[in-house]
């Protein structure tokens, strides 16, 4: 399979404190990578470095053969090919759901409004929210807002979808509806990097598990390898902290 995204020797500091140490990772087309690890280990920071939301102090991120962090001449254009979904939704409260979804492709990508709105309704229908297109974010549940945020990322036609703890702010009963959308994207061959604390979901969706701790990759492998027979004591203790049982 073709390698789409490559991180090489990423080094990231905040205020003189190192949070990512020599991180290297390659992502192949259609691969679903799930990044797990304890809170504060650098998982979300890593995603933000991939799409250039955070500057790095060493190493590089390449989309195909183009360096996108540190930013090159076409960095902003290439970064649009990495869709990001945050746990906080980040929807505009004064705009309808349809307006939230169509704003970037119309204003930023300069696509035809009619074409974009048609695609938006199709995508909203796919996640069960077509009837909410004229509603405002305040009228939606947390799970519905997160599904809208996923649609907003998809309509920009990203080559890689980055999902950062997208169920962390949701009530338990809303988690399933969001995870089902992500599972359907995985089945259709979407390339995704997912940060999550949902271990059963990680096992179900991942082609590869990448386990972070203290700013480094401690272990990586297939979901079956990681959850059935983790190689490192640190991974074993992490899974035990979740009382995880296969």
């Amino acid at each position: 399979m073709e390698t789409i995204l490559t991180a090489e020797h990423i080094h990231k500091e905040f205020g003189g404190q190192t949070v990512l140490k020599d991180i290297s990772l390659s992502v192949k087309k259609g691969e679903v990578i799930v990044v797990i690890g304890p809170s504060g280990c650098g998982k979300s920071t890593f995603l933000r470095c991939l799409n250039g939301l955070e500057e790095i102090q060493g190493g590089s991120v390449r989309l195909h053969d183009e360096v996108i962090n540190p930013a090159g001449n076409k960095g902003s254009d290439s970064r649009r090919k990495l869709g990001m979904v945050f746990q906080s939704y980040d929807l505009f409260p004064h705009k309808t759901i349809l307006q939230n979804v169509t704003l970037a492709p119309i204003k930023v990508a300069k696509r035809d409004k009619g074409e974009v709105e048609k695609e938006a309704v199709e995508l909203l229908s796919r996640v069960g929210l077509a009837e909410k297109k004229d509603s405002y974010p305040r009228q939606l549940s947390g799970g519905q807002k997160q599904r809208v945020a996923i649609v907003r990322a998809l309509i920009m036609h990203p080559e890689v979808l980055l999902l950062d703890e997208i169920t962390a702010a949701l009530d338990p009963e809303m988690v399933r509806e969001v995870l089902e959308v992500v599972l359907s994207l995985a089945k259709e061959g979407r390339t995704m990097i997912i940060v999550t604390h949902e271990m059963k979901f990680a096992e179900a969706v991942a082609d590869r598990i990448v386990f972070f701790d203290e700013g480094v990759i401690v272990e990586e492998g297939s979901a079956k390898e990681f959850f059935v027979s983790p190689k490192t004591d640190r991974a074993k203790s992490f899974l035990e902290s979740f009382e995880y049982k296969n």
Side-chain angles (χ1 to χ4, degrees):
M1 288 188 291
E2 173 195 4
T3 296
I4 293 181
L5 187 66
T6 306
E8 294 180 327
H9 306 295
I10 301 300
H11 182 85
K12 172 65 183 174
E13 296 180 359
F14 284 122
Q17 181 179 359
T18 300
V19 293
L20 294 176
K21 309 169 189 174
D22 196 30
I23 299 291
S24 294
L25 186 71
S26 294
V27 184
K28 296 184 181 300
K29 183 177 178 62
E31 188 176 23
V32 179
I33 293 177
V34 177
V35 180
I36 63 175
S39 297
C41 69
K43 306 182 300 293
S44 294
T45 299
F46 177 61
L47 286 195
R48 294 173 66 87
C49 289
L50 289 179
N51 71 353
L53 288 175
E54 294 286 351
E55 293 184 6
I56 55 178
Q57 283 70 54
S60 65
V61 179
R62 288 184 291 113
L63 184 65
H64 299 293
D65 293 325
E66 183 174 348
V67 175
I68 58 175
N69 195 2
N73 293 332
K74 298 180 181 179
S76 60
D77 290 337
S78 294
R79 287 173 189 170
R80 291 180 201 159
K81 297 175 184 176
L82 275 65
M84 184 89 171
V85 183
F86 304 91
Q87 72 176 60
S88 55
Y89 326 130
D90 293 341
L91 301 177
F92 293 108
H94 61 289
K95 293 186 179 295
T96 67
I97 298 311
L98 185 63
Q99 290 169 336
N100 266 281
V101 170
T102 59
L103 182 64
I106 292 172
K107 298 294 185 182
V108 178
K110 309 298 184 185
R111 288 165 55 193
D112 176 75
K113 181 178 179 182
E115 170 197 316
V116 169
E117 288 184 346
K118 179 182 178 182
E119 183 180 0
V121 172
E122 290 172 353
L123 287 169
L124 287 169
S125 178
R126 178 178 168 179
V127 301
L129 292 174
E131 77 283 0
K132 299 292 186 181
K133 67 182 179 66
D134 296 320
S135 300
Y136 289 86
R138 66 179 181 276
Q139 298 171 300
L140 273 59
S141 69
Q144 290 172 328
K145 284 186 275 193
Q146 195 58 283
R147 282 183 278 159
V148 171
I150 292 171
V151 167
R152 183 182 55 188
L154 290 174
I155 202 167
M156 291 298 285
H157 303 159
E159 292 193 47
V160 183
L161 197 58
L162 309 176
L163 307 174
D164 186 17
E165 295 281 18
I166 59 171
T167 61
L170 301 181
D171 293 332
E173 63 267 24
M174 296 178 186
V175 169
R176 183 177 179 83
E177 64 189 44
V178 174
L179 297 185
E180 284 178 348
V181 171
V182 179
L183 279 167
S184 71
L185 294 173
K187 288 176 181 176
E188 73 177 30
R190 287 272 177 182
T191 308
M192 294 186 283
I193 305 176
I194 303 168
V195 167
T196 186
H197 279 109
E198 301 281 344
M199 294 298 107
K200 287 292 186 182
F201 170 65
E203 183 181 22
V205 76
D207 294 309
R208 186 166 23 134
I209 297 289
V210 178
F211 176 56
F212 272 52
D213 190 32
E214 297 184 350
V216 300
I217 295 176
V218 175
E219 183 172 335
E220 64 178 296
S222 71
K224 183 176 181 180
E225 289 172 340
F226 183 82
F227 288 108
V228 174
S229 54
K231 302 181 186 72
T232 62
D233 289 340
R234 182 65 188 96
K236 291 175 185 175
S237 65
F238 174 77
L239 291 175
E240 287 169 1
S241 73
F242 277 88
E243 297 183 351
Y244 182 88
K245 295 180 181 179
N246 186 265

